[in-house]
PDB file of all heavy atoms in Angstrom:
ATOM      1  N   ALA A 380       0.342   2.656   5.954  1.00 98.00           N
ATOM      2  CA  ALA A 380      -0.602   3.707   5.374  1.00 98.00           C
ATOM      3  C   ALA A 380       0.010   4.514   4.292  1.00 98.00           C
ATOM      4  O   ALA A 380      -0.566   5.230   3.592  1.00 98.00           O
ATOM      5  CB  ALA A 380      -0.951   4.651   6.479  1.00 98.00           C
ATOM      6  N   GLN A 381       1.360   4.179   3.984  1.00 98.00           N
ATOM      7  CA  GLN A 381       2.016   4.930   2.934  1.00 98.00           C
ATOM      8  C   GLN A 381       1.234   4.605   1.573  1.00 98.00           C
ATOM      9  O   GLN A 381       1.100   3.468   1.181  1.00 98.00           O
ATOM     10  CB  GLN A 381       3.486   4.627   2.909  1.00 98.00           C
ATOM     11  CG  GLN A 381       4.268   4.970   4.067  1.00 98.00           C
ATOM     12  CD  GLN A 381       4.473   6.495   4.134  1.00 98.00           C
ATOM     13  OE1 GLN A 381       4.782   7.180   3.240  1.00 98.00           O
ATOM     14  NE2 GLN A 381       4.017   6.969   5.365  1.00 98.00           N
ATOM     15  N   GLY A 382       1.040   5.667   0.811  1.00 97.00           N
ATOM     16  CA  GLY A 382       0.300   5.491  -0.465  1.00 97.00           C
ATOM     17  C   GLY A 382      -1.210   5.713  -0.341  1.00 97.00           C
ATOM     18  O   GLY A 382      -1.749   6.237  -1.271  1.00 97.00           O
ATOM     19  N   VAL A 383      -1.775   5.365   0.750  1.00 98.00           N
ATOM     20  CA  VAL A 383      -3.150   5.587   1.053  1.00 98.00           C
ATOM     21  C   VAL A 383      -3.360   6.964   1.574  1.00 98.00           C
ATOM     22  O   VAL A 383      -4.264   7.816   1.093  1.00 98.00           O
ATOM     23  CB  VAL A 383      -3.712   4.606   1.996  1.00 98.00           C
ATOM     24  CG1 VAL A 383      -5.225   4.863   2.312  1.00 98.00           C
ATOM     25  CG2 VAL A 383      -3.641   3.173   1.330  1.00 98.00           C
ATOM     26  N   LYS A 384      -2.545   7.405   2.592  1.00 95.00           N
ATOM     27  CA  LYS A 384      -2.783   8.697   3.221  1.00 95.00           C
ATOM     28  C   LYS A 384      -2.419   9.793   2.262  1.00 95.00           C
ATOM     29  O   LYS A 384      -2.941  10.933   2.415  1.00 95.00           O
ATOM     30  CB  LYS A 384      -1.907   8.795   4.455  1.00 95.00           C
ATOM     31  CG  LYS A 384      -0.399   8.873   4.303  1.00 95.00           C
ATOM     32  CD  LYS A 384       0.363   8.850   5.593  1.00 95.00           C
ATOM     33  CE  LYS A 384       1.770   9.011   5.414  1.00 95.00           C
ATOM     34  NZ  LYS A 384       2.166  10.327   4.805  1.00 95.00           N
ATOM     35  N   GLU A 385      -1.713   9.567   1.129  1.00 95.00           N
ATOM     36  CA  GLU A 385      -1.446  10.607   0.198  1.00 95.00           C
ATOM     37  C   GLU A 385      -2.424  10.611  -0.885  1.00 95.00           C
ATOM     38  O   GLU A 385      -2.373  11.394  -1.837  1.00 95.00           O
ATOM     39  CB  GLU A 385      -0.092  10.362  -0.384  1.00 95.00           C
ATOM     40  CG  GLU A 385       1.112  10.534   0.527  1.00 95.00           C
ATOM     41  CD  GLU A 385       1.485   9.276   1.245  1.00 95.00           C
ATOM     42  OE1 GLU A 385       0.751   8.171   0.969  1.00 95.00           O
ATOM     43  OE2 GLU A 385       2.368   9.145   2.104  1.00 95.00           O
ATOM     44  N   GLY A 386      -3.448   9.676  -0.821  1.00 96.00           N
ATOM     45  CA  GLY A 386      -4.486   9.639  -1.877  1.00 96.00           C
ATOM     46  C   GLY A 386      -4.009   9.053  -3.161  1.00 96.00           C
ATOM     47  O   GLY A 386      -4.648   9.321  -4.253  1.00 96.00           O
ATOM     48  N   LEU A 387      -3.033   8.249  -3.101  1.00 98.00           N
ATOM     49  CA  LEU A 387      -2.446   7.660  -4.392  1.00 98.00           C
ATOM     50  C   LEU A 387      -3.270   6.355  -4.737  1.00 98.00           C
ATOM     51  O   LEU A 387      -3.397   6.122  -5.895  1.00 98.00           O
ATOM     52  CB  LEU A 387      -0.997   7.460  -4.176  1.00 98.00           C
ATOM     53  CG  LEU A 387      -0.138   8.584  -3.915  1.00 98.00           C
ATOM     54  CD1 LEU A 387       1.327   8.233  -3.635  1.00 98.00           C
ATOM     55  CD2 LEU A 387      -0.241   9.552  -5.070  1.00 98.00           C
ATOM     56  N   VAL A 388      -3.439   5.451  -3.698  1.00 98.00           N
ATOM     57  CA  VAL A 388      -4.276   4.273  -3.856  1.00 98.00           C
ATOM     58  C   VAL A 388      -5.266   4.137  -2.704  1.00 98.00           C
ATOM     59  O   VAL A 388      -5.106   4.848  -1.699  1.00 98.00           O
ATOM     60  CB  VAL A 388      -3.313   3.002  -3.864  1.00 98.00           C
ATOM     61  CG1 VAL A 388      -2.397   3.084  -5.115  1.00 98.00           C
ATOM     62  CG2 VAL A 388      -2.423   3.048  -2.596  1.00 98.00           C
ATOM     63  N   ALA A 389      -6.317   3.352  -2.912  1.00 97.00           N
ATOM     64  CA  ALA A 389      -7.287   3.179  -1.875  1.00 97.00           C
ATOM     65  C   ALA A 389      -6.950   2.173  -0.857  1.00 97.00           C
ATOM     66  O   ALA A 389      -7.451   2.157   0.276  1.00 97.00           O
ATOM     67  CB  ALA A 389      -8.667   2.773  -2.525  1.00 97.00           C
ATOM     68  N   ASP A 390      -6.088   1.180  -1.160  1.00 98.00           N
ATOM     69  CA  ASP A 390      -5.698   0.176  -0.343  1.00 98.00           C
ATOM     70  C   ASP A 390      -4.131  -0.076  -0.397  1.00 98.00           C
ATOM     71  O   ASP A 390      -3.608   0.027  -1.581  1.00 98.00           O
ATOM     72  CB  ASP A 390      -6.414  -1.171  -0.822  1.00 98.00           C
ATOM     73  CG  ASP A 390      -6.221  -2.339   0.192  1.00 98.00           C
ATOM     74  OD1 ASP A 390      -5.057  -2.670   0.507  1.00 98.00           O
ATOM     75  OD2 ASP A 390      -7.238  -2.860   0.613  1.00 98.00           O
ATOM     76  N   PRO A 391      -3.480  -0.258   0.656  1.00 98.00           N
ATOM     77  CA  PRO A 391      -1.962  -0.340   0.534  1.00 98.00           C
ATOM     78  C   PRO A 391      -1.581  -1.529  -0.339  1.00 98.00           C
ATOM     79  O   PRO A 391      -0.519  -1.477  -0.821  1.00 98.00           O
ATOM     80  CB  PRO A 391      -1.560  -0.593   2.074  1.00 98.00           C
ATOM     81  CG  PRO A 391      -2.767  -0.895   2.781  1.00 98.00           C
ATOM     82  CD  PRO A 391      -3.869  -0.150   2.070  1.00 98.00           C
ATOM     83  N   ARG A 392      -2.463  -2.510  -0.518  1.00 97.00           N
ATOM     84  CA  ARG A 392      -2.128  -3.661  -1.286  1.00 97.00           C
ATOM     85  C   ARG A 392      -2.213  -3.278  -2.786  1.00 97.00           C
ATOM     86  O   ARG A 392      -1.688  -4.063  -3.739  1.00 97.00           O
ATOM     87  CB  ARG A 392      -3.012  -4.892  -1.020  1.00 97.00           C
ATOM     88  CG  ARG A 392      -2.767  -5.472   0.360  1.00 97.00           C
ATOM     89  CD  ARG A 392      -3.791  -6.390   0.796  1.00 97.00           C
ATOM     90  NE  ARG A 392      -4.986  -5.614   1.156  1.00 97.00           N
ATOM     91  CZ  ARG A 392      -6.072  -6.018   1.839  1.00 97.00           C
ATOM     92  NH1 ARG A 392      -6.162  -7.338   2.110  1.00 97.00           N
ATOM     93  NH2 ARG A 392      -7.069  -5.300   2.164  1.00 97.00           N
ATOM     94  N   ASP A 393      -2.707  -2.151  -3.067  1.00 97.00           N
ATOM     95  CA  ASP A 393      -2.811  -1.697  -4.544  1.00 97.00           C
ATOM     96  C   ASP A 393      -1.680  -0.934  -4.967  1.00 97.00           C
ATOM     97  O   ASP A 393      -1.468  -0.626  -6.183  1.00 97.00           O
ATOM     98  CB  ASP A 393      -4.090  -0.733  -4.616  1.00 97.00           C
ATOM     99  CG  ASP A 393      -5.441  -1.451  -4.456  1.00 97.00           C
ATOM    100  OD1 ASP A 393      -5.400  -2.669  -4.544  1.00 97.00           O
ATOM    101  OD2 ASP A 393      -6.290  -0.746  -4.084  1.00 97.00           O
ATOM    102  N   TRP A 394      -0.721  -0.606  -4.060  1.00 98.00           N
ATOM    103  CA  TRP A 394       0.473   0.173  -4.493  1.00 98.00           C
ATOM    104  C   TRP A 394       1.349  -0.715  -5.361  1.00 98.00           C
ATOM    105  O   TRP A 394       1.687  -1.850  -5.039  1.00 98.00           O
ATOM    106  CB  TRP A 394       1.414   0.524  -3.194  1.00 98.00           C
ATOM    107  CG  TRP A 394       2.572   1.361  -3.629  1.00 98.00           C
ATOM    108  CD1 TRP A 394       3.880   0.910  -3.510  1.00 98.00           C
ATOM    109  CD2 TRP A 394       2.629   2.662  -4.136  1.00 98.00           C
ATOM    110  NE1 TRP A 394       4.680   1.934  -3.909  1.00 98.00           N
ATOM    111  CE2 TRP A 394       3.955   3.069  -4.321  1.00 98.00           C
ATOM    112  CE3 TRP A 394       1.660   3.626  -4.458  1.00 98.00           C
ATOM    113  CZ2 TRP A 394       4.310   4.162  -4.861  1.00 98.00           C
ATOM    114  CZ3 TRP A 394       2.057   4.785  -4.939  1.00 98.00           C
ATOM    115  CH2 TRP A 394       3.310   5.182  -5.200  1.00 98.00           C
ATOM    116  N   PRO A 395       1.672  -0.240  -6.511  1.00 97.00           N
ATOM    117  CA  PRO A 395       2.382  -1.034  -7.545  1.00 97.00           C
ATOM    118  C   PRO A 395       3.819  -1.306  -7.287  1.00 97.00           C
ATOM    119  O   PRO A 395       4.448  -2.166  -7.953  1.00 97.00           O
ATOM    120  CB  PRO A 395       2.197  -0.287  -8.912  1.00 97.00           C
ATOM    121  CG  PRO A 395       2.035   1.123  -8.484  1.00 97.00           C
ATOM    122  CD  PRO A 395       1.306   1.140  -7.148  1.00 97.00           C
ATOM    123  N   GLY A 396       4.416  -0.600  -6.363  1.00 97.00           N
ATOM    124  CA  GLY A 396       5.816  -0.720  -6.094  1.00 97.00           C
ATOM    125  C   GLY A 396       6.041  -1.531  -4.886  1.00 97.00           C
ATOM    126  O   GLY A 396       5.315  -2.428  -4.525  1.00 97.00           O
ATOM    127  N   VAL A 397       7.237  -1.346  -4.225  1.00 98.00           N
ATOM    128  CA  VAL A 397       7.536  -2.142  -3.072  1.00 98.00           C
ATOM    129  C   VAL A 397       6.751  -1.784  -1.840  1.00 98.00           C
ATOM    130  O   VAL A 397       6.813  -0.532  -1.432  1.00 98.00           O
ATOM    131  CB  VAL A 397       9.059  -1.920  -2.799  1.00 98.00           C
ATOM    132  CG1 VAL A 397       9.521  -2.624  -1.623  1.00 98.00           C
ATOM    133  CG2 VAL A 397       9.930  -2.431  -4.002  1.00 98.00           C
ATOM    134  N   HIS A 398       6.007  -2.606  -1.333  1.00 98.00           N
ATOM    135  CA  HIS A 398       5.179  -2.379  -0.117  1.00 98.00           C
ATOM    136  C   HIS A 398       5.113  -3.716   0.602  1.00 98.00           C
ATOM    137  O   HIS A 398       4.920  -4.753   0.072  1.00 98.00           O
ATOM    138  CB  HIS A 398       3.791  -1.933  -0.577  1.00 98.00           C
ATOM    139  CG  HIS A 398       3.083  -1.103   0.466  1.00 98.00           C
ATOM    140  ND1 HIS A 398       2.752  -1.639   1.733  1.00 98.00           N
ATOM    141  CD2 HIS A 398       2.630   0.266   0.462  1.00 98.00           C
ATOM    142  CE1 HIS A 398       2.226  -0.711   2.492  1.00 98.00           C
ATOM    143  NE2 HIS A 398       2.143   0.445   1.758  1.00 98.00           N
ATOM    144  N   CYS A 399       4.994  -3.656   1.942  1.00 98.00           N
ATOM    145  CA  CYS A 399       4.955  -4.835   2.764  1.00 98.00           C
ATOM    146  C   CYS A 399       3.657  -5.311   3.040  1.00 98.00           C
ATOM    147  O   CYS A 399       3.534  -6.392   3.691  1.00 98.00           O
ATOM    148  CB  CYS A 399       5.791  -4.548   4.122  1.00 98.00           C
ATOM    149  SG  CYS A 399       5.023  -3.251   5.161  1.00 98.00           S
ATOM    150  N   ALA A 400       2.599  -4.588   2.721  1.00 98.00           N
ATOM    151  CA  ALA A 400       1.209  -5.006   3.240  1.00 98.00           C
ATOM    152  C   ALA A 400       0.863  -6.339   2.777  1.00 98.00           C
ATOM    153  O   ALA A 400       0.452  -7.191   3.684  1.00 98.00           O
ATOM    154  CB  ALA A 400       0.247  -3.956   2.737  1.00 98.00           C
ATOM    155  N   ALA A 401       0.941  -6.675   1.453  1.00 97.00           N
ATOM    156  CA  ALA A 401       0.560  -7.991   1.003  1.00 97.00           C
ATOM    157  C   ALA A 401       1.469  -9.062   1.568  1.00 97.00           C
ATOM    158  O   ALA A 401       1.007 -10.211   1.897  1.00 97.00           O
ATOM    159  CB  ALA A 401       0.550  -8.012  -0.532  1.00 97.00           C
ATOM    160  N   ALA A 402       2.723  -8.817   1.771  1.00 98.00           N
ATOM    161  CA  ALA A 402       3.637  -9.832   2.271  1.00 98.00           C
ATOM    162  C   ALA A 402       3.349 -10.111   3.687  1.00 98.00           C
ATOM    163  O   ALA A 402       3.368 -11.316   4.196  1.00 98.00           O
ATOM    164  CB  ALA A 402       5.123  -9.274   2.169  1.00 98.00           C
ATOM    165  N   LEU A 403       3.025  -9.084   4.516  1.00 98.00           N
ATOM    166  CA  LEU A 403       2.686  -9.374   5.979  1.00 98.00           C
ATOM    167  C   LEU A 403       1.384 -10.094   6.044  1.00 98.00           C
ATOM    168  O   LEU A 403       1.141 -10.766   7.138  1.00 98.00           O
ATOM    169  CB  LEU A 403       2.649  -7.977   6.666  1.00 98.00           C
ATOM    170  CG  LEU A 403       4.016  -7.318   6.896  1.00 98.00           C
ATOM    171  CD1 LEU A 403       3.794  -5.921   7.523  1.00 98.00           C
ATOM    172  CD2 LEU A 403       4.960  -8.146   7.769  1.00 98.00           C
ATOM    173  N   LEU A 404       0.532 -10.034   5.062  1.00 97.00           N
ATOM    174  CA  LEU A 404      -0.735 -10.695   5.083  1.00 97.00           C
ATOM    175  C   LEU A 404      -0.632 -12.049   4.566  1.00 97.00           C
ATOM    176  O   LEU A 404      -1.556 -12.858   4.391  1.00 97.00           O
ATOM    177  CB  LEU A 404      -1.829  -9.914   4.363  1.00 97.00           C
ATOM    178  CG  LEU A 404      -2.259  -8.600   5.057  1.00 97.00           C
ATOM    179  CD1 LEU A 404      -3.074  -7.842   4.164  1.00 97.00           C
ATOM    180  CD2 LEU A 404      -2.989  -8.947   6.340  1.00 97.00           C
ATOM    181  N   GLY A 405       0.608 -12.475   4.069  1.00 93.00           N
ATOM    182  CA  GLY A 405       0.864 -13.846   3.432  1.00 93.00           C
ATOM    183  C   GLY A 405       0.390 -13.979   2.040  1.00 93.00           C
ATOM    184  O   GLY A 405       0.203 -15.097   1.484  1.00 93.00           O
TER     185      GLY A 405
END
């Protein structure tokens, strides 16, 4: 939820930096 709960991006996969969401989804 990091990045989304702060109102920075709408989806964790939209975070432009290092984030595990897309990797965990393959």
Side-chain angles (χ1 to χ4, degrees):
Q381 296 292 307
V383 176
K384 68 183 184 65
E385 296 85 359
L387 302 176
V388 291
D390 189 305
R392 289 164 290 190
D393 295 337
W394 181 248
V397 177
H398 203 299
C399 61
L403 289 175
L404 291 171

